[in-house]
Amino acid sequence: MADPALERPTYDDVADALVRISGIAHRTPVMHSRLIDEIAGFRVLFKCENLQRGGAFKFRGAYNAVSRLGEDRRDRGVVAFSSGNHAGAVALSSQMLGVSATIVMPADAPAAKLAATAGYGATIVTYDRYTQDREAIAGELMRSQGRTLIPPFNHPHVIAGQGTCAIEFIEDAPELDAVFTPLGGGGLLSGTLLAMGALSSHSRVYGVEPAAGDDGLQSLRAGHIVSISPPVTIADGAQTTELGSLTYPIIAERVTDILTATDHELVEALTLLATRMKLVVEPTAALGLVGALGMRDELAGATVGVIISGGNLDFPPDFSTGPHPS
Ligand SMILES: *Cc1c(COP(=O)(O)O)cnc(C)c1O
């Protein structure tokens, strides 16, 4: 049997995923602030995935992927490795579907994230991020327990699930001239590109990544996937080192451009969202707004969509940059 993990997803997969998650994932609101429009010089609409189940868009892809497993695979359970939103999303989706989940997380992951993942009923296996290889640990769980790996971005069902956010966005705001999404491993951006290509092909689509980890931009310029060492940035949801073999070709073929944001710009943008819109937004989720604000001249008079990808922020927030790769 062909390995579905190797097959490139299409718009039809995104549309199927939307049917699967309807009534299960939240249909998150599209919000707007006149004050931010004034600051920007164009109309900005925000798709608020910080209000999604589990606090991030990751629930869309995780639920789609786990729900599409056959009975046999569901019985044997799933495994994921992540210290961030993907861990919580796989744990929550598995709990809802009655599937056993083991999540491999660094022992020094934020206590709140360990607790949230455990709270969704997952078994947590911790490892020392400086001496142990999480992929080897996950691989052992796949071999010994027959578990299926749910990757954070490089999987057709995950990409298709993430693309459902853009279908909802364009349904609620058909007039979007451009859309900005954060960019880590590229699941959200490639899914968004599939959806926008089918439903609003004239719209421009931009990915925005941390300036310290601009492997996506480097890859686009080089014409092949460029790997970097784990970037040091407060955007912990985008501390990826390379795009995926499935996400890269979709991005390279369709994206309008890739932009970058510094940590300082991210803190400014999430402060704006907190103070003006009363939205709790994690640093990675402010990437899109920074990207849009940086293109004031090109976007004057346009209607611009920004995906706020998540809101899982520890309180009080610590915006000092330290090495905490996900
Ligand atoms: C995972 C994540 C991203 C990056 O998504 P990719 O699909 O890896 O590009 C952006 N924002 C948040 C909040 C995330 O959790």
Side-chain angles (χ1 to χ4, degrees), residues 49-224:
E49 288 295 298
N50 55 321
L51 304 176
Q52 185 51 266
R53 287 202 158 181
F57 74 92
K58 291 281 197 324
F59 178 73
R60 297 173 181 271
Y63 189 90
N64 188 47
V66 177
S67 76
R68 291 184 58 143
L69 296 175
E71 207 175 317
D72 180 47
R73 281 180 178 266
R74 283 197 194 202
D75 286 348
R76 283 179 292 168
V78 298
V79 59
F81 46 84
S82 159
S83 61
N85 292 328
H86 179 64
V90 171
L92 175 57
S93 304
S94 300
Q95 183 184 56
M96 293 170 73
L97 290 159
V99 173
S100 151
T102 297
I103 313 289
V104 182
M105 300 181 82
D108 61 350
K113 287 194 168 152
L114 286 162
T117 306
Y120 294 135
T123 301
I124 296 173
V125 173
T126 58
Y127 69 100
D128 179 339
R129 69 164 99 222
Y130 302 103
T131 62
Q132 287 180 294
D133 175 2
R134 64 184 187 174
E135 296 187 37
I137 297 170
E140 179 50 31
L141 288 163
M142 291 164 71
R143 272 188 301 278
S144 63
Q145 301 179 0
R147 292 179 181 274
T148 302
L149 179 71
I150 308 292
F153 53 86
N154 204 44
H155 189 287
H157 299 161
V158 173
I159 294 168
Q162 318 307 30
T164 61
C165 177
I167 298 186
E168 293 176 3
F169 204 174
I170 204 76
E171 280 177 356
D172 289 350
E175 70 278 27
L176 294 178
D177 297 305
V179 171
F180 290 77
T181 86
L183 171 59
L188 180 61
L189 178 58
S190 58
T192 300
L193 286 163
L194 293 176
M196 296 300 292
L199 302 178
S200 186
S201 58
H202 70 279
S203 305
R204 289 173 274 170
V205 180
Y206 297 88
V208 190
E209 62 187 351
D214 67 344
D215 60 291
L217 179 60
Q218 291 186 41
S219 301
L220 197 64
R221 299 284 183 265
H224 58 83

Side-chain angles (χ1 to χ4, degrees), residues 256-276:
T256 305
D257 206 357
I258 294 177
L259 312 168
T260 62
T262 65
D263 282 4
H264 178 74
E265 290 171 318
L266 292 175
V267 173
E268 277 188 347
L270 69 84
T271 303
L272 191 65
L273 292 164
T275 54
R276 301 305 174 185

